[in-house]
Amino acid sequence: MEVPPGSTILNAVRKLGIDIPALCFRDGCEPSTSCLVCVVRINNQERLVPSCATLAEDGMQIQSETEDIHQARRTALELLLSDHLGDCLGPCQTICPAGMNIPLMIRQIANGDFRDAIITVKRDIALPAVLGRICSAPCEKGCRRKEYDDAVAICLLKRYVADIDLADSNPYLPACKDETGKKVGIVGAGPAGLAAAYHLRQEGIACTIFDDHEKPGGMLQYAVPEEKLSRAVLAAEIALIEKLGVRFKLSTRIDRDTAWHDIRNEFDAVLIAIGEIKPDKTEIFQLETNQNGLKTDKKTNQTSLPNVFAAGSVVQPGKMAVRTVAAGKTAAASINRYLFGQPLISTPKPFSVHIGHLRDGEIEKFMTNASLNGRTDLEKDSPTGLSVEQAQREARRCLRCDCRKYETCKLRIYAEKYQARPNRYKQTRPLFERNIQHPDIIFEPGKCINCGLCVQIAAAAGEKVGLTFIGRGFDVRVRVPFNDSLKDALTQTAAQCAAACPTGALSLKDK
């Protein structure tokens, strides 16, 4: 290819659509070559060079995607991660069996964006109003706020947005793709089967649920006491799933009213989600079993019959409804891959680094921008739920542990792409810091990779104080000179610096 004189290799190859990672480079700034994740090989030389600072020359032959170059980038990323102090995902989200974006839901509630909040919830949870009443709330066990006083009432907040959505004349329904012509039969109308149908319908896959009871819901319908779970709420949420196009064949027992082999022949795939099963009943399905129930691949939910999957308590007996709903979601993802000839792999967990246990004094740093109000709880089995004032007050207790730049953090994006291991190089971590003195931005020094982009931006704009590097060698850090305040350091360029920051070290405050 031809490029203008003075072009770097990085700029040149990006014009070809080749994505060479770069964290410390930005157009208009001098290259600092501090991150070393943009390395390439020139003319088969053994030495690798940073593409952001190497000028393109006539006749160059460049290698950018060999395994040893990828390994060099992976190592550079792992070294950066060894010094990275922060959580990509909030602890509450990582512990939630369904992986729901709890911090985002809480922020949306705090801001009064209730419609957006239920959209966030329903991205992962098929029955939020139900779970908001009966879930044992494992996510709250991971809430960092309980190290100060009490965990945020996550389950009640989920229930709040789900209830106001059900009461709306136009409750939220996720969009469904065009019909694919694929059909899935689901045996069991309990939480796992309902959740699987909910997610499969969004992929344009036709779903028919068979159940031997008169009403759908499984254990939710026939085992949970009415005072804990109103059947009207259960019916309303199931009605929304039915509105997506899910068909129900109730009062239908397999191998009495409908033969098992007929279902296997009628549908492209079948999911068994009938709850706990007695050993003498497993032979109906002609499947391999173990001491827990039907035997499946733990990562994909596939049974010994390729087009038959199983999920929920029929595989592993359990009492936690949220795990059963999550199992239905996971099974739906595997069935979708199977139907379209994709490799059956486990759903990859999103990349995240974690601070881990807090040290003395660190919880107070997290509390700097959170409400000091105590937890809002309801009377046991209260039929009313939170008021809007209570919900927003409770939401403001969140410590905002997750990264404010999760979607755009280049360190996370490239660490995930190159499968970097955050804990490969272990060292004693520094204390967590969070500087909120600036009216527009937050500075978390533990996430800074010392790329210097903010230093250059502030200097180019003529900031009187600006930012600088302080220290030597491995101890060098970006700081405000002479211990001045961040507010005085960035009077004009705060938003610009936050936008340029490749990690979440500098980020905009929530409005």
Side-chain angles (χ1 to χ4, degrees), residues 487-503:
K487 179 180 178 181
D488 293 332
L490 301 178
T491 60
Q492 312 167 52
T493 57
Q496 191 178 353
C497 288
C501 180
T503 68

Side-chain angles (χ1 to χ4, degrees), residues 131-327:
L131 292 183
R133 286 163 168 80
I134 67 169
C135 183
S136 56
C139 54
E140 294 182 17
K141 295 178 176 64
C143 178
R144 209 169 258 140
R145 176 74 190 233
K146 66 183 174 61
E147 297 192 33
Y148 182 80
D149 49 13
D150 295 297
V152 175
I154 297 168
C155 221
L156 287 178
L157 292 175
K158 176 173 61 183
R159 170 181 169 176
Y160 174 75
V161 293
D163 282 355
I164 63 173
D165 181 62
L166 285 180
D168 195 295
S169 59
N170 183 32
Y172 171 72
L173 285 175
C176 295
K177 296 178 182 177
D178 293 339
E179 298 295 334
T180 62
K182 302 291 185 181
K183 300 187 301 179
V184 172
I186 298 174
V187 183
L194 291 169
Y198 172 82
H199 291 285
L200 286 168
R201 281 300 301 137
Q202 293 175 58
E203 297 299 323
I205 297 167
C207 293
T208 301
I209 299 180
F210 298 84
D211 197 280
D212 59 356
H213 293 92
E214 294 181 3
K215 296 180 180 180
M219 67 165 189
L220 303 175
Q221 186 75 252
Y222 295 99
V224 180
E226 171 75 25
E227 60 268 21
K228 285 186 175 292
L229 175 60
S230 161
R231 294 305 183 265
V233 170
L234 175 61
E237 291 216 298
I238 293 175
L240 290 180
I241 294 175
E242 187 172 19
K243 202 169 181 178
L244 291 176
V246 176
R247 296 181 60 210
F248 288 88
K249 287 192 174 182
L250 302 173
S251 300
T252 302
R253 185 182 294 274
I254 304 305
D255 259 12
R256 186 189 68 186
D257 305 302
T258 300
W260 168 238
H261 67 82
D262 289 343
I263 291 181
R264 287 192 57 209
N265 291 333
E266 181 182 352
F267 295 95
D268 300 299
V270 178
L271 173 67
I272 302 172
I274 57 174
E276 292 188 36
I277 187 171
K278 295 179 180 178
D280 61 328
K281 299 294 184 182
T282 58
E283 55 189 46
I284 294 175
F285 300 108
Q286 304 163 346
L287 296 169
E288 290 185 32
T289 62
N290 56 29
Q291 68 274 18
N292 294 318
L294 298 183
K295 184 178 180 181
T296 64
D297 184 308
K298 293 181 179 179
K299 295 181 179 179
T300 67
N301 294 90
Q302 190 176 38
T303 69
S304 53
L305 298 176
N307 72 326
V308 178
F309 297 75
S313 298
V314 72
V315 174
Q316 180 69 51
K319 304 299 182 184
M320 196 179 292
V322 67
R323 292 197 187 281
T324 309
V325 169

Side-chain angles (χ1 to χ4, degrees), residues 20-37:
I20 292 180
L23 303 183
C24 65
F25 174 79
R26 183 175 185 264
D27 286 329
C29 293
E30 291 295 317
S32 66
T33 67
S34 66
C35 72
L36 292 178
V37 298

Side-chain angles (χ1 to χ4, degrees), residues 368-426:
T368 52
N369 62 336
S371 166
L372 296 177
N373 289 325
R375 176 178 167 118
T376 303
D377 266 319
L378 299 174
E379 293 294 327
K380 187 178 180 181
D381 305 329
S382 169
T384 57
L386 298 174
S387 67
V388 60
E389 294 82 7
Q390 288 175 321
Q392 291 189 284
R393 185 171 69 241
E394 184 63 24
R396 294 188 184 105
R397 297 181 65 245
C398 178
L399 303 185
R400 192 64 163 88
C401 301
D402 62 318
C403 180
R404 286 171 166 78
K405 298 178 74 170
Y406 179 81
E407 298 295 336
T408 59
C409 173
K410 292 182 179 179
L411 179 59
R412 181 197 65 80
I413 291 169
Y414 288 122
E416 189 166 42
K417 177 179 178 179
Y418 288 93
Q419 298 181 326
R421 292 173 291 172
N423 298 319
R424 184 179 179 189
Y425 301 104
K426 293 185 177 181

